[in-house]
């Protein structure tokens, strides 16, 4: 029998990266919020890689920060090494990635949650969600405690019916040997939510003293460290530890292939669908059999531990095989495993059942976020948590919920992909998933999202003022640079020739020189004595906005083109079987997803361009 | 949807005109204006695929008599209830019947609306609709073959071959960018250069056949030019003896431009016999000469006629000069007379030369070969897939331009993220070409090319 405990505006189930952002956002927006975790010692745990950011994920963290989320600030506080990836490949794909101290990150986030006004943090397993008249009414814990709530956010990560596999051993468990969430799945099914089974995995953690670092390639962090958060000062940021790179070899591959029958993936004991974009080492060896070696990164788990993480070596092979194949690797000949690699299966929803607000279409006030929605990765989870938290609070307060467009952000792209296209394996963000890469750079996340963050109420007035000042400085400096001519002096031409571009014979506007790929705004400083004193962030924007002006204009045209299809609104709900020209598959998919407009419809897999043409013509006939 | 009506036959004097009505009230409207004589069934009682003879009536007044054909949904062109009324040809009577139909509740059909509805009701695909348009408008046999090939996807396969290589390049770029830690081979400049240059070259080839394709489809706008009395009209008459393809005679005076379409082999020539080009004081004639010169400028094909029996004159030289760089055939007429014309002095201005004796009706075969040479028809194989219309050509041009821009950016030293965007653009245009990327523009474009009544 359940017993009434308390009432909340927002109840967040799960305190991983999605749950923490959701709870903080809701509480900060003034909603009375409760955050449940099966163990408070696992709040914001990094159960896999102790790193934040990476390609496209770094973009997400910057965007979370630009809207007033917490992940970026926490990563800035807890990192032990920082690198900007893809430096040589162009600013659109620069991605910040840090190595974090796992325990410090957890402690930091736990403290942030504990200190947050309007937020109660509770250790309990939520086992039931109660719905009344199509809306969330309450949640019940394993102890029978009933909490009335106007909204609930499910952010259960890999805990939901978690099942760990190592070789032929399997046991019910959450990540990192925590208790799994056992009861909630049945309750969710009973209120009509379709669940499916996904799988992910993690590599082993090994002891520092068993690694021969001399045999590995050392990888240091950047000299000029950039923080994630707009609010973090660049002063005093420093790398504390190096990471290392090693390689598998023919012997490693032989051990794995000889024992592949002992993998639960290949024996068929795992039914969940694994991530295509983050495969286990046995998957990599099977799928890319022509590759003579695979790279692995050896990364410290923190400053107060000797545990090292072996990125790239995720596996579900038995313990003895894990030891055997690791010991074939140069530098790991005597390796001592502290935590074994494992695969974990868990329940998650079909995100096509969600709206772009992350609320379930069928149940008012019920939201999903993070791995529960079919994604993979801390950053993807945090991004969804932020949006779900904001929308839960806004719906309680009677405000219109927010949605982000694909052209506004990676967050918008992520959610649109999930809700419209759905996912058949754990979804990982990648820069190639955004068609607007040159607009959605990690360096301009504030320009894209901070005005919205401020309007919602997650960005302080003080920060917003600073943001406006930065924008004004960028604008003024670009204007000045466009008006300023440089004379064809010998010194300038010497620089141009040195940089591999043509010298000039007559005076040229400064922006025309910056537009040359070889020349940056910084390069011209010696020839530009009136240049004002500007911050790195402002100078960076001036350079990029001039250098990429043409490409940016091109992308904006594409945004406009697509916008036209987004403006063509489709009726909701609607039975698409009444339109005869559509293919059978389009009927089914459209009826399931119920897109809001033609643009969304065109992105549903199974809806062909011919089907979209039918919709366009059909719609024009409705007027 | 509303019930629409339009005249489906050309708006011209002819034996029969057909008016088509489509929509849920098509049968009711037909019943009000059609009094059957051959059957006791009224329009709403008739079955699909049946006809009736009767009177077209406006209340008690009989406007015309004709045949009513009933098609019941979904077994009709549009997939809706359709009636077709065959009445007596002539613009006046047909218009009167159409007005009567509008007065009884139908609305005028927009261009392509019948086909749009057919498409919407699942009767045909978008590319089929586009091909239908080409079949309708194909003038020559080769044109029809190309349109048929389009329906079967020859162009699609050709474009796909190009887009597959660029797509693969995009895949490599994406993997390299998204997995910086994964030991993925770096994409180098050379790989991008090779792929894009090949793509540009393939698109170039495709575009180079567009003109030939257009000539096959639409026919060549042909000007017959030359001094007075060199045999232009005789050539015109000789050609007119060829099989006529379409009746589009436009009457004019002998000093004006006369147009007529004839088929020579696979090509339809839209002929203009022009006034003789020479200096003239005659006002009426000078208007004709002006027109002739203008025609020479705009024509697809010039047939420049010279008299072999006469000395070359300054006027001949001037005419030859004007033919330079154009698709021009020198026609050396009166080959049966004593040869006094020094053609070698001007031969460089012509891509093809044909000797004929128009008066004897001899040399047509050689002319046909010459024209086919000019349009490189031997190279056009209807199976290879050619660009069929302006929309497709536009996509190919834009795709090529995007790839060229990407090459330019790369040469200038731009970073791969920028180059990547340009390749993305090119790829999108190719997908738009094959219909794999839908946009409103495509749909509008396809249907806007239909004429009302189709």
């Amino acid at each position: 029998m359940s017993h009434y405990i308390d009432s909340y505006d927002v109840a967040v189930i799960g305190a991983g990266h999605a749950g923490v952002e959701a709870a903080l956002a809701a509480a900060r927006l003034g909603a009375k919020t409760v955050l449940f975790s099966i163990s408070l010692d696992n709040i914001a745990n990094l159960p896999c890689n102790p790193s934040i950011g990476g390609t496209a994920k770094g973009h997400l963290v910057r965007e979370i920060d630009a809207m007033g989320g917490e992940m970026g600030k926490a990563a800035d506080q807890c990192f032990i090494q920082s690198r900007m990836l893809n430096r040589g490949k162009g600013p659109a794909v620069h991605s910040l990635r840090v190595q974090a101290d796992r325990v410090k990150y957890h402690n930091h986030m736990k403290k942030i949650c504990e200190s947050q006004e309007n937020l109660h943090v509770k250790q309990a397993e939520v086992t039931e969600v109660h719905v009344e008249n199509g809306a969330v009414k309450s949640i019940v814990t394993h102890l029978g405690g009933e909490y009335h709530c106007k909204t609930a956010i499910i952010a259960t990560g890999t805990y939901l019916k978690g099942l760990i596999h190592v070789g032929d051993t399997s046991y019910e468990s959450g990540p990192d040997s925590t208790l799994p969430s056992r009861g909630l799945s049945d309750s969710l099914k009973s209120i009509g939510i379709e669940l499916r089974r996904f799988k992910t995995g993690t590599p082993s953690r090994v002891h520092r003293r068993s690694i021969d670092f001399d045999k590995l390639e050392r990888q240091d962090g950047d000299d000029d460290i950039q923080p994630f958060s707009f609010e973090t000062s660049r002063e005093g940021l420093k790398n504390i530890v190096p990471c290392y790179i090693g390689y598998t070899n023919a012997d490693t591959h032989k051990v794995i292939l000889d024992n592949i029958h002992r993998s639960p993936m290949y024996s068929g004991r795992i039914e969940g669908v694994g991530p295509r974009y983050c495969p286990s080492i046995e998957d990599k060896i099977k799928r890319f059999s022509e590759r003579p070696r695979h790279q692995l990164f050896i990364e410290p788990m923190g400053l107060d531990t000797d545990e090292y993480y072996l990125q790239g070596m995720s596996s579900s092979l038995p313990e003895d095989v894990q030891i055997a194949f690791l010991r074939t690797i140069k530098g790991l000949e005597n390796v001592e495993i502290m935590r074994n690699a494992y695969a974990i299966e868990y329940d998650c929803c079909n995100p096509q059942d969600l709206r772009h607000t992350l609320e379930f279409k069928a149940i008012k006030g019920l939201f999903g976020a993070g791995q529960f929605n079919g994604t993979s990765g801390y950053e993807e989870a945090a991004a969804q948590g932020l949006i779900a938290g904001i929308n839960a609070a806004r719906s309680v307060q009677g405000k219109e919920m927010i949605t982000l467009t694909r052209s506004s952000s990676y967050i918008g792209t992520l959610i649109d992909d999930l809700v419209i296209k759905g996912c058949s394996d754990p979804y990982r963000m990648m820069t190639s998933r955004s068609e607007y890469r040159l607009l959605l750079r990690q360096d301009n996340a504030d320009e894209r999202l901070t005005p919205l963050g401020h309007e919602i109420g997650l960005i302080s007035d003080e920060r917003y003022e600073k943001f406006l000042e930065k924008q004004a400085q960028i604008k003024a400096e670009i204007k000045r640079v466009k008006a300023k001519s440089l004379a064809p002096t010998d010194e300038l031409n010497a620089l141009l020739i040195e940089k591999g571009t043509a010298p000039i014979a007559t005076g040229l506007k400064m922006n025309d020189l910056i537009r040359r790929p070889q020349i940056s705004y910084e390069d011209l400083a010696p020839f530009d004595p009136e240049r004002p004193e500007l911050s790195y962030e402002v100078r960076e924007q001036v350079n990029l906005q001039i250098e990429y002006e043409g490409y940016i204009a091109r992308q904006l045209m594409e945004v406009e083109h697509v916008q036209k299809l987004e403006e063509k609104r489709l009726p909701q709900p609607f039975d698409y079987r009444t339109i005869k020209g559509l293919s059978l598959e389009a009927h089914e998919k459209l009826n399931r997803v119920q897109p809001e407009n033609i643009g969304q419809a065109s992105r549903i897999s199974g809806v062909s361009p011919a089907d979209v043409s039918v919709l366009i013509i059909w719609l024009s006939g409705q007027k | 949807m509303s019930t629409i009506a339009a005249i489906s036959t050309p708006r011209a004097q002819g034996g029969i005109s057909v008016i088509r009505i489509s929509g849920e009230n098509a049968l009711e409207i037909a019943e009000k204006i059609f009094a059957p004589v051959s059957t006791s069934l009224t329009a709403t009682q008739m079955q699909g695929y049946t006809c009736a003879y009767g009177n077209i009536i406006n209340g008690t007044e009989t406007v015309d008599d004709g045949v009513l054909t009933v098609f019941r949904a979904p077994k009709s062109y549009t997939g809706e209830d359709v009636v077709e009324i065959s009445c007596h040809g002539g613009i006046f009577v047909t218009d009167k019947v159409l007005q009567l139909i509008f007065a009884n509740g139908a609305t005028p059909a927009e261009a392509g609306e019948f086909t749009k509805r057919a498409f919407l009701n699942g009767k045909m695909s978008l590319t089929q609709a586009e091909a239908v348009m080409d079949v309708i408008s194909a003038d020559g046999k080769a044109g029809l073959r190309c349109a048929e090939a389009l329906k079967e996807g020859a162009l699609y396969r050709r474009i796909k071959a190009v887009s597959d290589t660029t797509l693969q390049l995009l895949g490599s770029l994406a993997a390299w960018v998204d997995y910086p830690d994964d030991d993925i081979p770096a994409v180098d400049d050379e790989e991008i250069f090779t792929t894009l240059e090949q793509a540009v070259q393939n698109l170039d080839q495709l575009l180079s056949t567009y003109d030939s394709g257009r000539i096959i489809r639409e026919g060549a706008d042909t000007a017959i030019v030359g001094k007075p009395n060199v045999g232009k009209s005789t050539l015109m008459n000789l050609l007119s003896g060829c099989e006529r393809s379409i009746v589009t005679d436009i009457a004019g005076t002998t000093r004006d431009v006369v147009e007529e379409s004839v088929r020579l082999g696979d090509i339809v020539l839209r002929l203009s016999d022009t006034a003789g080009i020479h200096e003239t004081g005659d006002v009426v004639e000078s208007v004709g000469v002006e027109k002739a010169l203008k025609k020479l400028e705009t024509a697809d094909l010039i047939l420049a006629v010279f008299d072999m029996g006469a000395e070359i004159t300054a006027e001949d030289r001037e005419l030859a000069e004007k033919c330079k760089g154009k698709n021009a055939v020198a026609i050396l007429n009166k080959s049966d007379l004593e040869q006094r014309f020094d053609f070698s002095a001007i031969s460089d201005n012509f891509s093809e030369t044909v000797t004929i004796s128009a008066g004897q009706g001899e040399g047509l075969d050689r002319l046909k070969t010459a024209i086919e040479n000019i349009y490189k028809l031997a190279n056009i194989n209807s199976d290879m897939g050619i660009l069929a219309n302006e929309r497709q050509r536009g996509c190919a041009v834009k795709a090529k331009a995007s790839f060229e821009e990407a090459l330019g950016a790369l040469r200038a030293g731009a970073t791969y993220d920028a180059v990547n965007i340009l390749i993305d653009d090119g790829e999108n245009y190719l997908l738009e070409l094959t219909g794999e990327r839908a946009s409103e523009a495509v749909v509008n474009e396809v249907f806007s090319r239909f004429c009302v009544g189709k």
Side-chain angles (χ1 to χ4, degrees):
Chain A
M1 272 310 288
S2 63
H3 43 270
Y4 172 80
I5 304 282
D6 206 344
S7 293
Y8 288 93
D9 292 332
V10 181
V12 182
I13 306 166
H17 304 284
V20 163
E21 292 289 352
L24 287 172
R28 286 168 179 170
L29 294 179
K32 189 183 172 198
T33 306
V34 60
L35 174 63
F36 291 100
S37 178
I38 283 180
S39 163
L40 294 190
D41 295 331
N42 280 286
I43 289 179
N45 184 28
L46 303 162
C48 193
N49 200 338
S51 98
I52 308 272
T55 46
K57 293 161 175 272
H59 292 67
L60 286 171
V61 180
R62 280 263 163 99
E63 290 179 357
I64 291 164
D65 179 69
M67 288 190 71
E70 197 61 34
M71 182 174 250
K73 279 183 246 180
D76 287 343
Q77 294 299 312
C78 305
F79 80 89
I80 51 180
Q81 188 199 57
S82 171
R83 283 196 301 141
M84 185 66 83
L85 306 179
N86 281 337
R87 276 195 193 257
K89 303 173 191 171
V93 295
H94 286 181
S95 291
L96 191 57
R97 178 186 189 277
V98 301
Q99 209 55 45
D101 183 317
R102 170 175 163 269
V103 174
K104 187 176 175 190
Y105 191 89
H106 150 74
N107 284 334
H108 177 88
M109 274 298 200
K110 180 163 178 262
K111 182 72 183 150
I112 295 272
C113 291
E114 288 166 359
S115 318
Q116 180 60 49
E117 199 186 338
N118 294 330
L119 177 57
H120 295 177
V121 179
K122 278 190 200 299
Q123 178 163 300
E125 180 194 342
V126 174
T127 51
E128 291 168 38
V129 174
H130 290 177
V131 170
E132 200 174 78
N133 301 325
V136 169
K137 179 183 156 237
S138 66
I139 59 107
V140 177
T141 70
H142 66 312
L143 301 177
E146 181 170 15
Y147 295 79
H148 288 182
C149 55
K150 293 172 186 153
T151 59
I153 299 169
I154 307 170
T156 45
T158 60
Y159 282 73
L160 207 52
K161 277 211 171 150
L163 184 63
I164 283 182
H165 299 269
V166 181
D168 49 14
T169 306
S170 45
Y171 53 95
E172 291 183 11
S173 174
D176 261 341
S177 292
T178 48
L179 288 173
S181 163
R182 293 191 178 89
L184 188 58
S185 285
D186 289 341
S187 168
L188 293 178
K189 282 183 198 158
S190 77
I191 57 173
I193 292 174
E194 176 197 320
L195 293 177
R196 47 194 185 158
R197 212 72 179 137
F198 272 7
K199 163 245 133 153
T200 188
T202 191
S204 36
R205 315 298 192 274
V206 300
H207 199 290
R208 180 204 300 266
R209 68 183 169 217
S210 69
I211 303 169
D212 187 348
F213 291 104
D214 292 341
K215 291 184 181 167
L216 300 170
E217 286 171 29
R218 182 180 160 125
Q219 190 180 45
D220 287 308
D222 290 342
D223 292 331
D224 55 329
I225 297 179
Q226 296 188 33
F228 276 115
S229 176
F230 187 90
E231 294 181 40
T232 307
S233 160
R234 292 164 66 86
E235 299 300 315
L237 299 179
K238 62 177 194 291
N239 295 301
I240 305 171
V241 291
C243 294
Y244 295 86
I245 300 170
Y247 298 94
T248 63
N249 55 47
D251 292 341
T252 324
H253 299 189
K254 184 170 188 310
V255 172
I256 290 171
L257 289 175
D258 285 350
N259 290 283
I260 198 82
H261 59 282
R262 297 177 66 193
S263 157
M265 280 308 285
Y266 288 87
S267 68
R269 282 191 33 246
I270 293 183
E271 51 184 86
V273 189
R276 264 178 304 170
Y277 301 109
C278 189
S280 62
I281 184 65
E282 49 266 31
D283 264 352
K284 283 196 261 189
I285 285 167
K286 289 284 274 189
R287 271 166 50 191
F288 307 103
S289 53
E290 74 288 355
R291 297 266 296 271
R293 64 176 197 181
H294 293 274
Q295 212 165 17
L296 65 140
F297 288 77
I298 296 132
E299 305 166 333
M301 297 284 287
L303 298 179
D304 300 321
T305 174
D306 283 330
E307 281 188 86
Y308 270 71
Y309 176 91
L310 301 179
Q311 186 199 324
M313 299 300 284
S314 145
S315 176
S316 57
L317 285 162
E319 192 177 7
D320 57 314
V321 182
Q322 291 186 26
I323 296 170
F325 75 67
L326 287 182
R327 287 187 176 168
T328 62
I329 294 169
K330 218 170 114 188
L332 302 181
E333 292 88 346
N334 301 304
V335 81
E336 178 194 330
I337 291 180
M338 295 177 71
R339 302 186 201 212
N340 275 295
Y342 61 81
I344 183 165
E345 282 187 279
Y346 53 96
D347 282 353
C348 56
C349 78
N350 181 343
Q352 287 180 312
D353 292 337
L354 302 168
R355 300 178 199 280
H356 280 77
T357 55
L358 296 182
E359 186 179 29
F360 275 90
K361 286 170 188 165
I363 301 172
K364 194 174 175 313
L366 187 65
F367 295 78
Q371 272 166 305
F372 175 72
N373 288 353
T375 57
S376 128
Y378 314 139
E379 303 81 0
E380 288 86 343
Q384 296 167 66
L386 178 66
I387 300 299
I390 290 171
N391 282 332
R394 288 178 73 86
S395 80
V396 167
Q397 293 157 356
K399 294 176 181 158
E400 196 188 336
M401 291 194 251
I402 64 158
T403 55
L404 297 180
T405 62
R406 295 182 72 87
S407 55
S408 76
S409 55
Y410 275 88
I411 302 180
T413 307
L414 165 74
I415 293 175
D416 186 68
D417 277 350
L418 289 176
V419 171
I420 297 299
K421 294 181 189 159
C423 55
S424 51
D425 65 317
Y427 179 102
R428 174 190 155 159
M429 199 57 198
M430 296 185 282
T431 60
S432 48
R433 295 203 195 258
S434 168
E435 57 277 43
Y436 308 117
R437 286 184 298 281
L438 275 185
L439 299 178
L440 309 186
R441 304 186 309 274
Q442 51 98 35
D443 61 74
N444 69 357
D446 58 346
E447 185 187 337
R448 295 183 276 116
L449 296 172
T450 293
L452 177 64
H454 180 252
E455 190 191 321
I456 292 167
L458 287 177
I459 297 287
S460 67
D461 289 344
E462 188 195 347
R463 172 166 167 181
Y464 189 58
E465 285 304 317
K466 274 193 194 160
F467 161 77
L468 289 179
E469 194 189 322
K470 176 187 166 189
Q471 295 306 313
Q473 284 177 351
I474 295 167
K475 210 174 153 194
E477 180 60 0
I478 288 177
K479 195 176 165 200
R480 190 189 70 81
V481 164
K482 284 188 170 176
K484 159 107 182 168
S485 277
L486 292 186
T489 60
D490 290 348
E491 291 81 4
L492 177 60
N493 278 335
L495 172 87
L496 295 179
I497 291 163
E498 184 205 324
K499 293 276 179 188
T501 174
I504 56 174
T506 58
L508 208 56
K509 289 277 189 299
M510 202 148 66
N511 64 314
D512 287 329
L513 283 175
I514 297 171
R515 213 169 276 143
R516 295 185 182 181
Q518 297 81 359
I519 302 296
S520 73
Y521 171 77
E522 301 290 342
D523 292 333
L524 299 177
F527 309 96
D528 186 19
E530 303 100 80
R531 182 173 291 192
E533 192 78 20
L534 295 166
S535 69
Y536 170 84
E537 285 77 13
V538 171
R539 299 197 309 267
E540 181 187 33
Q541 286 309 305
V542 171
N543 187 50
L544 290 179
Q545 289 186 22
I546 292 174
E547 177 140 12
Y548 289 89
E549 202 173 18
Y551 300 99
I552 291 169
R554 216 182 164 101
Q555 293 242 286
L556 287 173
M557 267 168 58
E558 177 68 17
V559 171
E560 211 171 290
H561 171 81
V562 172
Q563 186 65 32
K564 283 190 188 137
L565 293 182
E566 305 276 328
E567 281 163 10
K568 299 206 165 293
R569 302 198 69 79
L570 290 165
Q572 280 185 304
F574 182 71
D575 184 0
Y576 286 90
R577 280 174 304 185
T578 58
I579 306 178
K580 293 188 211 83
L582 294 170
S583 68
L584 206 61
E585 193 182 0
H587 282 156
E588 279 172 27
K589 296 285 175 67
L590 288 164
N591 273 350
R592 159 116 212 188
V593 177
Q594 293 288 327
E596 289 164 24
N597 55 54
I598 298 268
Q600 289 181 5
S602 72
R603 295 192 290 274
I604 300 172
S605 62
V607 176
S608 72
D611 293 320
V612 175
S613 305
V614 170
L615 285 176
I616 291 173
I617 294 168
W618 174 79
L619 201 59
S620 70
Q622 296 303 296
K623 284 167 194 160
Chain B
M1 261 192 252
S2 61
T3 300
I4 51 170
I7 302 166
S8 287
T9 41
R11 270 183 77 80
Q13 297 295 335
I16 294 174
S17 289
V18 175
I19 296 169
R20 181 185 271 166
I21 313 172
S22 177
E24 54 189 17
N25 295 324
L27 295 170
E28 283 76 4
I29 292 170
E31 182 150 302
K32 286 188 223 160
I33 62 148
F34 187 83
V37 173
S38 66
T39 164
S40 56
L41 297 175
T42 63
T44 52
Q45 294 164 334
M46 286 167 68
Q47 303 214 324
Y49 296 142
T50 61
C51 319
Y53 168 77
N55 291 319
I56 299 156
I57 50 167
N58 181 9
T60 52
E61 176 202 1
T62 297
V63 180
D64 194 7
D65 60 331
V67 174
L68 179 82
T69 312
V70 170
F71 304 85
R72 285 194 179 261
K75 292 180 177 174
S76 73
Y77 181 71
T78 58
E80 303 172 327
D81 283 345
V82 169
V83 297
E84 287 181 0
I85 300 172
S86 308
C87 58
H88 288 101
I91 293 166
F92 178 74
V93 173
T94 315
D95 267 349
K96 209 168 166 185
V97 175
L98 186 65
Q99 291 307 325
L100 186 60
I101 291 167
F102 291 156
N104 281 283
T107 55
E110 285 169 26
E113 202 172 351
F114 288 107
T115 306
K116 249 188 208 180
R117 289 186 177 199
F119 172 70
L120 197 53
N121 287 318
K123 307 293 277 191
M124 63 175 75
S125 75
L126 191 63
T127 38
Q128 271 178 324
E130 200 164 26
V132 165
M133 176 61 193
D134 288 328
V135 172
I136 290 166
S137 60
D139 278 354
K141 278 182 292 182
L144 191 59
R145 278 207 307 272
C146 287
E148 297 283 337
L150 182 73
K151 271 207 301 201
E152 282 152 26
L155 176 68
Y156 174 83
R157 285 195 300 276
R158 203 165 165 197
I159 294 292
K160 199 74 190 148
V162 178
S163 77
D164 278 353
T165 60
T166 47
L167 202 59
Q168 200 179 342
L169 174 66
L170 286 169
S172 306
L173 276 168
W176 180 60
V177 162
D178 277 319
Y179 294 91
D181 288 345
D182 265 13
D183 207 14
I184 285 180
V187 180
D188 57 17
D189 283 10
E190 200 187 314
E191 185 181 348
I192 305 181
F193 274 126
T194 316
T195 309
L196 291 187
E197 275 162 6
Q198 188 63 47
V200 167
Q201 202 183 325
N202 287 338
L203 287 171
D204 254 338
Q205 275 171 10
L206 190 64
L207 283 164
S208 72
T209 55
Y210 177 72
D211 265 349
S212 315
R214 184 177 62 83
I215 297 298
I216 287 176
R217 232 175 18 257
E218 297 171 6
D221 193 5
T222 309
I224 301 178
V225 295
K227 287 185 303 188
N229 297 323
V230 290
K232 297 191 299 297
S233 294
T234 326
L235 175 64
M236 180 83 175
N237 291 338
L238 180 64
L239 284 168
S240 301
C242 297
E243 184 191 350
R244 289 187 181 202
S245 63
I246 315 165
V247 189
T248 57
D249 304 26
I250 297 168
T253 71
T254 47
R255 289 186 176 178
D256 203 337
V257 178
V258 177
E259 290 200 4
E260 181 159 19
S261 290
V262 302
R263 180 183 296 145
L264 190 61
D266 264 356
I267 292 194
V268 170
L269 303 181
R270 293 201 308 276
L271 295 175
S272 308
D273 179 14
T274 65
I277 296 176
H278 68 142
E279 295 297 325
T280 175
D282 179 338
V283 179
V284 181
E285 200 175 36
S286 80
V287 172
V289 170
E290 205 173 289
K291 280 196 175 174
L293 287 173
K294 201 167 168 195
K295 189 77 215 172
L296 194 148
E297 288 298 321
T298 58
D300 293 317
L301 177 68
I302 298 164
L303 304 180
V305 188
F306 300 100
D307 180 356
M308 294 309 283
E311 293 283 349
I312 190 165
T313 64
E315 281 160 348
D316 286 324
R317 287 173 193 277
E318 201 183 320
L319 173 62
E321 199 55 38
K322 289 200 159 69
C323 291
K324 203 170 181 173
K326 298 200 167 70
N327 291 327
V329 183
I331 298 188
L332 310 183
N333 191 25
K334 304 186 188 171
S335 56
D336 46 333
L337 298 182
E338 191 194 339
Q339 308 291 292
R340 285 155 58 191
F341 193 83
D342 178 19
F343 180 63
S344 65
I346 55 170
S347 62
D348 284 354
N349 295 329
F350 298 94
S351 35
E352 291 287 332
T353 306
V354 180
T355 315
I356 64 165
S357 175
Q360 310 278 320
E362 193 263 334
L364 265 186
D365 278 354
R366 289 193 295 277
L367 179 58
K368 170 176 168 276
T369 310
I371 295 171
E372 285 176 358
N373 285 345
I374 283 187
Y375 289 112
K376 301 184 182 66
L377 290 195
N379 298 342
I380 300 252
N381 173 347
S382 57
D383 298 336
M384 75 188 204
I386 59 170
L387 297 168
N389 54 52
E390 269 303 314
R391 178 189 79 78
Q392 295 178 350
R393 182 177 165 277
C395 288
V397 167
K398 286 183 201 153
K400 185 183 147 211
S402 297
F403 292 145
E404 278 172 340
E405 261 187 275
L407 283 167
L410 199 60
R411 275 189 207 102
T415 45
Y416 284 179
D417 56 347
V419 175
N420 202 330
I421 292 295
L422 297 169
I423 307 176
D424 274 352
D425 269 4
E427 187 70 27
N428 278 339
Y429 285 125
L430 292 182
L431 293 178
E432 212 165 278
L433 202 169
T434 55
E436 283 167 283
R437 177 178 137 114
S439 77
E440 209 182 358
V442 174
V443 175
N444 289 342
E445 181 95 22
V446 168
F447 288 102
S448 69
R449 293 190 301 115
F450 283 86
C451 32
V452 176
K454 294 288 176 348

